[in-house]
Amino acid sequence: MRYLLRKLGFYLVALWAALTVNFFVPRLMPGDPVEILLSKLGQHGPVSPEMRASTEALLGTSSGEPLWSQYLDYLGRLAHGDLGTSVVFFPASVSSIIEQTLPWTIGLVGLATVISFLVGVGLGTLAGWKRGSWLDSLIPVTTMFQSVPYFWLALILLFTLGSVWPVFPLNGGYDVYNVTVGWNGPFLGSVLYYGALPALTIVLSSVGGWMLGMRNMMVSTLSEDYMLTAEAKGLRPGRIMRGYAARNAILPSVSGFAISLGFVVAGSIVTEAVFSYPGIGSALLQSVGGNDYALMQGIFLVITLSVLGANLLVDLLYSVIDPRTRARA
């Protein structure tokens, strides 16, 4: 319990610091979201001073209000779950935009991240256990994909598998013309079909890192004295590999996986931009281009909560996998 309370206290302080940075950084950017929104409204008629004042109050950026007062108002709104109104998608609320885009990103990036982790760790375990096998020759190939710039790999796959050999669609999240949105077979099949190529890009660009890291940790673990003791006991090779070598070698990968899971909700901005995928990364890109403070803050808040939550869960899981961490804490 003492270990848990110490961790919770640390993450609460980290959350407050992240919220503070989340408030101030967008306001240091050039441009004024009020002017952007008023320019849109001005296309339909003149903008009165009263309309300007109400727009500033709506966006929480009143020009006559000091920054510290805006900061307190921002924290008060967050406490009530009010993330504000989006400028780019006006008059939609930030919460509704996140609700619409977040499931697409979690479904694509989350599933691709889990697949790449499982495949990479599994192949890395076998490569470390059977050094000199064909799996060792596979590592340079996978790391080559990781070294290729992310957007370039996405463009290559889009060109080859979407244009030269039209196996997959070029863009979008589903077939907007022939399927109806809902929990039905045609829609889910269309989502999987349209998401296959972006997911393949994510898996190819990340599986090499998991595989190489796990392989190196396996090689290091196999030289430990307790591995020799396990062999001297006459245990089966499979049990030694899974219960002794892989269990200890996977610990650094678990930490890295937690960070990866936390950033899943941030989406892969490059992938979503290349494939025109309707995820939260695309919404973040549009909010930055439109100086949409509220949407940026809302998306960064979700990212912050997910990263802190994932790291807290892994800290707790780490204490179960390796009890020595509790003793050191």
Side-chain angles (χ1 to χ4, degrees), residues 13-79:
V13 174
L15 176 61
W16 169 79
L19 292 177
T20 303
V21 173
N22 189 24
F23 172 80
F24 285 103
V25 168
R27 284 161 175 77
L28 298 177
M29 297 174 58
D32 187 356
V34 175
E35 295 296 335
I36 295 175
L37 182 54
L38 290 178
S39 65
K40 294 181 180 180
L41 298 176
Q43 298 174 2
H44 305 283
V47 177
S48 63
E50 291 77 12
M51 184 179 293
R52 172 180 288 274
S54 62
T55 303
E56 291 179 346
L58 178 66
L59 300 180
T61 58
S62 300
S63 55
E65 188 177 7
L67 200 59
W68 64 266
S69 180
Q70 295 181 32
Y71 174 66
L72 294 179
D73 182 58
Y74 159 74
L75 294 180
R77 290 187 177 187
L78 283 183

Side-chain angles (χ1 to χ4, degrees), residues 28-189:
L28 298 177
M29 297 174 58
D32 187 356
V34 175
E35 295 296 335
I36 295 175
L37 182 54
L38 290 178
S39 65
K40 294 181 180 180
L41 298 176
Q43 298 174 2
H44 305 283
V47 177
S48 63
E50 291 77 12
M51 184 179 293
R52 172 180 288 274
S54 62
T55 303
E56 291 179 346
L58 178 66
L59 300 180
T61 58
S62 300
S63 55
E65 188 177 7
L67 200 59
W68 64 266
S69 180
Q70 295 181 32
Y71 174 66
L72 294 179
D73 182 58
Y74 159 74
L75 294 180
R77 290 187 177 187
L78 283 183
H80 291 86
D82 181 10
L83 299 180
T85 303
S86 172
V87 173
V88 175
F89 300 97
F90 186 83
S93 66
V94 171
S95 300
S96 65
I97 300 300
I98 294 177
E99 289 175 3
Q100 293 172 15
T101 57
L102 188 57
W104 291 96
T105 293
I106 293 178
L108 171 66
V109 185
L111 185 60
T113 301
V114 172
I115 291 174
S116 63
F117 174 76
L118 294 177
V119 172
V121 167
L123 292 178
T125 299
L126 295 176
W129 182 256
K130 298 180 180 180
R131 283 171 289 177
S133 64
W134 64 272
L135 285 171
D136 266 350
S137 303
L138 185 63
I139 291 179
V141 178
T142 58
T143 53
M144 179 199 69
F145 284 116
Q146 190 175 18
S147 63
V148 175
Y150 200 70
F151 71 93
W152 186 243
L153 178 61
L155 289 174
I156 291 175
L157 291 177
L158 186 64
F159 177 72
T160 55
L161 298 180
S163 181
V164 178
W165 297 288
V167 180
F168 299 105
L170 292 174
N171 54 56
Y174 67 98
D175 188 349
V176 297
Y177 301 106
N178 300 315
V179 298
T180 303
V181 178
W183 292 101
N184 55 75
F187 173 72
L188 295 178

Side-chain angles (χ1 to χ4, degrees), residues 126-276:
L126 295 176
W129 182 256
K130 298 180 180 180
R131 283 171 289 177
S133 64
W134 64 272
L135 285 171
D136 266 350
S137 303
L138 185 63
I139 291 179
V141 178
T142 58
T143 53
M144 179 199 69
F145 284 116
Q146 190 175 18
S147 63
V148 175
Y150 200 70
F151 71 93
W152 186 243
L153 178 61
L155 289 174
I156 291 175
L157 291 177
L158 186 64
F159 177 72
T160 55
L161 298 180
S163 181
V164 178
W165 297 288
V167 180
F168 299 105
L170 292 174
N171 54 56
Y174 67 98
D175 188 349
V176 297
Y177 301 106
N178 300 315
V179 298
T180 303
V181 178
W183 292 101
N184 55 75
F187 173 72
L188 295 178
S190 179
V191 170
L192 292 175
Y193 179 52
Y194 275 72
L197 193 56
L200 180 62
T201 305
I202 297 172
V203 171
L204 286 178
S205 63
S206 57
V207 70
W210 297 120
M211 185 176 178
L212 180 61
M214 187 63 184
R215 188 261 182 196
N216 291 339
M217 287 304 302
M218 281 290 292
V219 171
S220 176
T221 303
L222 290 175
S223 63
E224 297 290 341
D225 292 338
Y226 59 81
M227 295 299 301
L228 184 62
T229 303
E231 293 176 0
K233 289 181 178 180
L235 299 178
R236 295 190 305 273
R239 182 180 177 185
I240 296 175
M241 181 184 70
R242 293 188 301 270
Y244 288 79
R247 181 178 179 181
N248 290 280
I250 200 175
L251 293 177
S253 296
V254 170
S255 298
F257 181 59
I259 298 175
S260 300
L261 280 183
F263 281 104
V264 159
V265 298
S268 178
I269 297 178
V270 175
T271 300
E272 293 181 8
V274 171
F275 294 98
S276 300

